[in-house]
């Protein structure tokens, strides 16, 4: 094949790669378009099995829960973390960004409750998203006294791993409660007060 004939093929491949990248980027933008608002919409088609109360907290009965996806990677502190390693504990998973006003509003409650429940088989984990560097995220945690780890997910790739129709995070902030088997038990798509956070957490902690 001549150099002249190979050039159009390279150009075609380049366009295909660009289109694929744009499609992936659009998916992340679609997921986060309602970011940092007062809430979001309940998700996806299919048999969701969850019930959303008037307080905006959605819950799933023990026998109908779905496992959380692979949530692993580097933290904002540069350490390796895999949420699956916390199986056997109740996990509070909070999606946040340092740029997000509702995230700042709820941060003090997460810091307080995470410390109060540290010896009760509960592990808090953050997913920091849309921060272009870890510096602002680390400063946020220092300002609010947050001592638990946060995965660094600037482009929202971890959030896209949740299956459509499950209790997936669809807004920033979002909070999920994972039961001791790593399954999604509850979700909120808005900033939480201490009272609402405990309302989500306590029933799952009480499960045997």
């Amino acid at each position: 094949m001549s150099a002249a004939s190979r050039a159009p093929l390279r150009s075609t491949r380049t366009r295909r790669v660009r289109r694929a990248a744009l499609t992936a980027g659009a998916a992340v933008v679609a997921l986060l378009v309602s970011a940092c608002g007062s809430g979001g919409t309940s998700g996806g088609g299919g048999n969701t099995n969850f019930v959303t109360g008037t307080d905006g907290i959605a819950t799933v009965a023990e026998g109908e829960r779905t496992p959380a996806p692979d949530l692993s990677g580097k933290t904002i502190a540069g350490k390796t973390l895999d949420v699956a390693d916390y199986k056997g504990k109740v996990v509070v998973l909070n999606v946040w960004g340092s740029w997000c006003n509702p995230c700042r509003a709820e941060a003090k409650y997460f810091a307080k409750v995470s410390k109060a429940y540290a010896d009760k088989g509960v592990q808090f984990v953050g997913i920091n998203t849309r921060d272009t560097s870890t510096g602002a995220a680390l400063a946020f945690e220092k300002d609010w006294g947050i001592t638990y780890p946060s995965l660094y997910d600037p482009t929202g790739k971890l959030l896209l791993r949740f299956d459509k129709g499950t209790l997936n995070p669809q807004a920033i902030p979002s909070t999920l409660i994972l039961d001791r088997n790593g399954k999604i038990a509850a979700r909120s798509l808005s900033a939480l007060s201490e009272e609402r956070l405990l309302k989500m957490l306590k029933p799952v902690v009480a499960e045997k």
Side-chain angles (χ1 to χ4, degrees), residues 150-203:
S150 284
L151 288 162
Y152 185 47
D153 186 31
T155 60
K157 290 181 179 179
L158 291 178
L159 306 184
L160 291 174
R161 293 181 181 177
F162 287 84
D163 289 336
K164 187 177 181 180
T166 65
L167 285 181
N168 51 336
Q170 297 175 21
I172 303 170
S174 290
T175 300
L176 305 180
I177 308 291
L178 310 185
D179 65 20
R180 293 182 180 87
N181 295 310
K183 296 183 177 181
I184 305 169
R187 177 190 69 181
S188 170
L189 295 176
S190 61
L192 293 171
S193 63
E194 182 179 352
E195 180 184 10
R196 290 180 66 230
L197 174 56
L198 290 171
K199 186 175 182 180
M200 289 179 69
L201 178 59
K202 283 182 176 180

Side-chain angles (χ1 to χ4, degrees), residues 24 73 80 86 98 103 111 114 129 144 165 171 198:
T80 300
Y86 295 124
S98 67
C103 300
S114 68
T129 191
W144 294 105
L198 290 171

Side-chain angles (χ1 to χ4, degrees), residues 27-28 68 77 81-82 90-91 97 105 109 123 143-144 147 153 168 196:
V28 174
L81 185 148
D82 188 343
V90 174
V91 175
Y109 305 124
Q123 176 65 49
D143 288 345
W144 294 105
T147 56
D153 186 31
N168 51 336
R196 290 180 66 230

Side-chain angles (χ1 to χ4, degrees), residues 34-73:
S34 62
C36 217
S38 59
T41 56
S42 61
N47 184 14
T48 59
N49 291 328
F50 61 83
V51 176
T52 303
T54 55
D55 55 6
I57 296 171
T59 57
V60 187
E62 276 192 74
E64 299 178 342
R65 295 170 185 167
T66 57
D70 170 38
L71 297 171
S72 60

Side-chain angles (χ1 to χ4, degrees), residues 4 6 10 14 16 50 58 76 79 125 134 147 152 154 178 185:
R6 287 197 297 270
R10 284 198 298 270
T14 300
R16 286 175 180 167
F50 61 83
I76 62 174
K79 298 179 180 180
V125 177
T134 59
T147 56
Y152 185 47
L178 310 185

